[in-house]
Amino acid sequence: MKAVSAGTGPSRWARQAATLLAQVRDDALRDDLRLRFDERAAICEIDGELSRTEAERIAFESLVHALERLRGRGQ
């Protein structure tokens, strides 16, 4: 099991995700997207055995794609 470093704060990717999510006006959609980001990062970290930072980078890319799809539908 990987050691977790304490007190490092959120990664660059988590901060960028928070910035993107803050722009989503619908509370329920924002909460759903935040949950998706967190779950995707956790799956990549645990199952993919990636560092948390790398897992959050992948989750951030997934979030960007989800937002692009939503904007394409006019939401």
Side-chain angles (χ1 to χ4, degrees):
M1 180 175 263
K2 289 181 276 183
V4 176
S5 51
T8 58
S11 74
R12 159 189 171 194
W13 304 107
R15 290 190 308 270
Q16 288 183 337
T19 299
L20 275 181
L21 290 169
Q23 298 171 20
V24 176
R25 292 184 205 141
D26 183 274
D27 291 340
L29 178 58
R30 185 175 49 251
D31 291 345
D32 180 57
L33 291 169
R34 171 45 113 182
L35 181 61
R36 285 167 143 196
F37 173 83
D38 291 338
E39 286 180 343
R40 171 56 108 181
I43 290 167
C44 289
E45 182 180 16
I46 303 301
D47 292 346
E49 298 181 6
L50 299 174
S51 69
R52 184 65 185 180
T53 300
E54 183 63 12
E56 286 179 348
R57 182 191 64 77
I58 292 168
F60 176 77
E61 289 175 358
S62 180
L63 174 63
V64 168
H65 291 299
L67 287 168
E68 287 171 350
R69 285 191 303 273
L70 288 170
R71 288 182 182 135
R73 288 191 240 156
Q75 291 187 356

